[in-house]
Amino acid sequence: MNRDDSKIVAFCCEHSAYQAANKAGRMRLHYPDNVRIIRVPCAGRVDVQHILKAFEKGAAGVLVMGCQEGACQHLTGNTRARERVKYTDSLLKEVGIDGSRVRMVNLGPDMGQQFVAEVKEMAEKIEGEMRR
Amino acid sequence: MIIAERKPLEEIKNMLSGYKEILVVGCRTCVTICWAGGEKEVGILSSQLKLASSREGNELSILEATVERQCEKEMVIEELRDKVQEVEAILSMGCGVGVQTIAEIFEEKPVFPALNTTFIGMPEAEGVWVEKCGACGDCMLYWTGGICPVVRCAKGLLNGPCGGTRRGGKCEVDPEKDCAWVLIYRRLEKQGRLDLMERYYEPKNYRAVKRPGRIEAATA
């Protein structure tokens, strides 16, 4: 499988998921190298168009990673992000991209291992679907 | 304002089949407010069309534009004049008036509607719009307390409720909706004008506007 065909874009909230990714690095945890992390001030900043643009530019999967429920620094950014991800999923289904290629993940800033697990899960899912 | 809804992607794709260079045009007025055809929706539909076409191996070249008001010729000409030369077809995300304005100006290009124009209404809550006016051309709101029975009563009745009104003042046809005549009664009661409920209103002249409607201002 060509690694360029399976790029995953992870929009990471700088208050939580981005720090979790940092922690994964400090812990020397290995995660797939086809993940591209984009630091955002809040998951609520990620718009439907940003996600669609990622797919347009060749991403195979998108993760929107924000704070845990109730812990958003901007109060409702993560819940808004969840709704937008759900809506984007329906738009992608309309164009034939099925199978939850876009997912919302809630993480705390110290959840390095969980970050790696989520990224691996998406990577394996895409790899499995591309092999079919 | 005019309320519209986007057509299903499949229908839009079918309309555009055979054309490779498309200009998607939004409108910053009514359809922006009802989340159907503003700048953002133009971006979303363009992305969807690009993704769908590239998956089908028939990649489309898409230009995007958003006009302040698609129903004003001057604004359409100014915004689209140059872009139209670069495409084979135009996909309008304006209301039916917008589609026809563009089609009238750029007669040599086919113009397709991406929206279904549904009614004249207003926002009720975030993401919810309700019909308020049927543009009948013979306004009777002065004697119904500012509530239009023509469009807000499911049966368009002019002389009080139908008799099927549900408990809580809900409509017989759709229990989710209010009975317009209960609303009218309560409004007139607040205004001390309940005598209007006893008045008989003759059948309405639904031909007050001769189609197609046209109005010339007295000063024109």
Side-chain angles (χ1 to χ4, degrees), chain B residues 4-120:
Chain B
E5 276 181 315
R6 211 197 76 185
K7 285 176 179 286
L9 187 68
E10 208 52 41
E11 187 180 344
I12 296 172
K13 274 165 52 190
N14 287 339
M15 283 191 291
L16 296 175
S17 73
Y19 297 98
K20 288 194 118 8
E21 291 155 342
I22 318 281
L23 173 62
V24 182
V25 187
C27 175
R28 287 202 178 88
T29 314
C30 312
V31 291
T32 291
I33 309 294
C34 67
W35 305 358
E39 196 166 358
K40 190 170 176 175
E41 288 74 28
V42 166
I44 290 173
L45 179 59
S46 300
S47 280
Q48 277 191 299
L49 287 170
K50 282 182 205 164
L51 281 169
S53 62
S54 78
R55 285 174 69 82
E56 288 159 13
N58 174 36
E59 207 146 338
L60 294 175
S61 160
I62 293 181
L63 284 181
E64 297 174 23
T66 307
V67 182
E68 196 59 37
R69 280 201 289 279
Q70 258 191 45
C71 54
E72 297 239 15
K73 283 185 179 177
E74 292 79 3
M75 290 178 180
V76 172
I77 293 169
E78 194 182 318
E79 183 67 37
L80 305 184
R81 192 170 28 202
D82 299 330
K83 288 176 178 154
V84 164
Q85 308 308 321
E86 299 172 39
V87 297
E88 297 169 340
I90 302 165
L91 180 64
S92 165
M93 295 194 80
C95 66
V97 184
V99 176
Q100 293 184 62
T101 308
I102 297 176
E104 207 172 303
I105 296 166
F106 304 108
E107 280 186 306
E108 71 286 5
K109 305 276 179 182
V111 183
F112 301 108
L115 307 184
N116 289 322
T117 307
T118 44
F119 54 79
I120 301 175

Side-chain angles (χ1 to χ4, degrees), chain A residues 47-49 52-53 55-56 87 91-92 94-97, chain B residues 6 8-9 39-40 43-44 46-48 50-52 55:
Chain A
D47 190 69
V48 175
Q49 280 178 280
L52 288 177
K53 198 57 91 179
F55 281 99
E56 220 182 281
Y87 176 54
L91 294 173
L92 290 170
E94 254 191 316
V95 300
I97 301 176
Chain B
R6 211 197 76 185
L9 187 68
E39 196 166 358
K40 190 170 176 175
I44 290 173
S46 300
S47 280
Q48 277 191 299
K50 282 182 205 164
L51 281 169
R55 285 174 69 82

